Amino acid sequence: AEDSDWSDRFALDAVGSNGIVTCKARDGNTGKERVYLLNVSISLSANGLSKIVVFTPFHKVVNKAPYTLLLQHQDHHQWFPLKTGECQGLWPDGEHKAVRVRVQGHHETTAPIAYGFLHCTLFRLDNRYG
């Protein structure tokens, strides 16, 4: 957003370097300040004359299941879809870095799954998908 604030300076001249930058912005609905974490990766182009700077979400989720999943941030009501093979960034909304998951068209949900660290999770559902 045009009214957001970036983190401290990050050197973009060192090819092969990686880092994390933050972007602080006010939520348009609640007015609360949110912090977005972004990975920064710097590489050299094929011709060697240009640098490529790539920004990606710090937290990402990939749906490897053969059906659409719905994710819900802990302590929130809204569910968002994650189609088969899709990858989306996760932006923590509040102090909890956890989501609940369910299969689209079903009501059974997982326990909150923390995403503040790298892991793969096989979740339990009390239906034919669990």
Side-chain angles (χ1 to χ4, degrees):
E2 65 275 356
D3 62 344
S4 59
D5 293 323
W6 288 95
S7 63
D8 295 335
R9 292 181 183 256
F10 182 85
L12 296 176
D13 57 350
V15 173
S17 68
N18 297 311
I20 299 170
V21 295
T22 60
C23 177
K24 296 177 185 177
R26 294 240 177 250
D27 186 304
N29 297 325
T30 64
K32 289 183 178 180
E33 184 177 83
R34 290 187 66 182
V35 177
Y36 298 92
L37 294 175
L38 300 165
N39 283 323
V40 179
S41 176
I42 304 166
S43 60
L44 205 54
S45 68
N47 65 13
L49 299 175
S50 300
K51 293 177 188 160
I52 301 169
V53 180
V54 179
F55 294 92
T56 57
F58 186 74
H59 300 288
K60 294 177 244 178
V61 62
V62 178
N63 180 4
K64 293 189 176 186
Y67 34 80
T68 298
L69 300 176
L70 298 174
L71 281 72
Q72 178 187 57
H73 287 278
Q74 189 172 342
D75 300 330
H76 290 277
H77 300 289
Q78 184 178 0
W79 291 87
F80 63 92
L82 187 64
K83 296 178 182 176
T84 300
E86 192 173 49
C87 176
Q88 286 186 7
L90 286 176
W91 307 105
D93 190 10
E95 63 185 68
H96 301 290
K97 290 182 181 176
V99 293
R100 295 187 319 149
V101 181
R102 66 182 172 116
V103 175
Q104 187 174 30
H106 296 272
H107 297 291
E108 296 87 1
T109 65
T110 65
I113 300 168
Y115 62 86
F117 52 92
L118 179 63
H119 64 91
C120 293
T121 301
L122 177 63
F123 56 86
R124 175 188 166 96
L125 290 173
D126 292 327
N127 61 24
R128 68 185 180 113
Y129 297 100

